[in-house]
Amino acid sequence: MAPYDTIKVDELDDRVVVTLHRPQSRNAIDAAMIRELHDVCGGLEEHPRLLLLTGAGGVFAAGADIAELRARGREQALRGINSRLFDRIARLPLPSVAAVDGYALGGGAELAYACDIRLASPAATFGNPEPGLGILAAAGATWRLRELVGASVAKQILLAGRRLDAEAACRLGLVAEVVPADDLLARAHALLDRMARSGALALRLTKLVTDAPGGHPVTDDLAQAILFESEEKRDRMDAFLAGERR
């Protein structure tokens, strides 16, 4: 992947670590960051790996770039500039983890919601203050947040401006765990290590079936049929029966 201006990317064999890095604007998501994250997604679609997404300087992302939003009109809204990216992140072949320290507000919160699992530091704060700017949270929060925390809490955040601190976010299931800031990335990597020990195809199909709208037993059966014929399934089960641990 090429060098970037708004993000830092560390490529490992089984994962890619992306750090949002616009310190002058608390990692606000602008058009350049959107383009660069699309490029990262392209690489992960071509060569599936786990994704760890975090922010530099004690902030995840304090929102979208307001100056850019101020200049956008109907045509830009219909292009779904942010929402298309976040949907692409949500549909990545292998799981994504957001390690959230500090503010995840507006578009920054929606980016975190698009990841499969979120970990947070005690300083993490989630919120969607878009109606205060005369717009709505149109990059997934209006439906993704409802799925994550339920309609009542989603409306408190989206309509009443409620912000969730790390403790509340964990209690409501938005984040999996609250971790001291100094340990946040290590804990996120440990979570990814555990995922990486699973069969890659099994992990990929499990995510695909879990995210499929509505769900259906036939979908489960078809995915399982693929896995039952895989060499990795036979190798892993042979190892288990032989008493080997992975």
Side-chain angles (χ1 to χ4, degrees):
M1 296 179 186
Y4 300 110
D5 294 325
T6 70
I7 60 177
K8 293 183 176 181
V9 179
D10 185 16
E11 295 192 66
L12 305 174
D13 289 341
D14 62 357
R15 72 198 64 176
V16 173
V17 181
V18 176
T19 304
L20 310 180
H21 192 262
R22 293 188 70 217
Q24 73 282 6
S25 59
R26 297 191 296 177
N27 302 331
I29 300 169
D30 66 352
M33 185 181 287
I34 293 289
R35 287 192 299 270
E36 292 176 358
L37 288 172
H38 269 299
D39 191 65
V40 171
C41 287
L44 290 170
E45 289 160 354
E46 183 175 350
H47 179 196
R49 283 169 287 177
L50 301 164
L51 172 64
L52 173 55
L53 190 60
T54 191
V59 178
F60 184 73
D65 189 295
I66 302 302
E68 286 191 358
L69 284 181
R70 174 64 179 81
R72 290 179 187 172
R74 177 179 56 209
E75 293 305 315
Q76 289 76 26
L78 291 173
R79 283 168 52 198
I81 293 171
N82 288 12
S83 64
R84 300 299 185 272
L85 169 69
F86 299 166
D87 285 347
R88 193 175 184 184
I89 289 172
R91 294 195 310 270
L92 286 172
L94 289 176
S96 56
V97 172
V100 179
D101 185 20
Y103 287 126
L105 301 177
E110 291 180 299
L111 176 56
Y113 303 156
C115 293
D116 293 299
I117 298 174
R118 288 150 294 281
L119 301 180
S121 78
T125 302
F126 299 86
N128 288 97
E130 286 88 345
L133 296 170
I135 59 175
L136 63 84
T142 54
W143 55 273
R144 194 169 274 132
L145 187 58
R146 184 181 67 243
E147 294 175 353
L148 291 169
V149 298
S152 177
V153 175
K155 287 182 178 181
Q156 293 172 44
I157 295 167
L158 295 168
L159 301 178
R162 179 182 178 185
R163 293 186 178 185
L164 296 182
D165 60 19
E167 180 182 348
C170 188
R171 186 173 67 251
L172 293 165
L174 181 62
V175 304
E177 189 177 5
V178 179
V179 183
D182 290 344
D183 300 329
L184 183 60
L185 288 182
R187 191 68 61 90
H189 277 291
L191 175 59
L192 291 170
D193 289 342
R194 189 159 69 247
M195 292 181 184
R197 289 193 290 271
S198 296
L201 182 59
L203 204 61
R204 183 171 183 175
L205 287 177
T206 299
K207 175 176 174 176
L208 192 65
V209 171
T210 302
D211 286 343
H216 196 284
V218 173
T219 307
D220 295 354
D221 293 344
L222 290 172
Q224 192 74 297
I226 295 170
L227 292 169
F228 272 13
E229 294 296 322
S230 69
E231 192 66 30
E232 185 174 41
K233 171 252 189 180
R234 287 187 284 271
D235 290 345
R236 285 175 172 269
M237 290 193 176
D238 286 347
F240 178 85
L241 292 171
E244 299 175 17
R245 297 179 63 86
R246 295 200 176 195

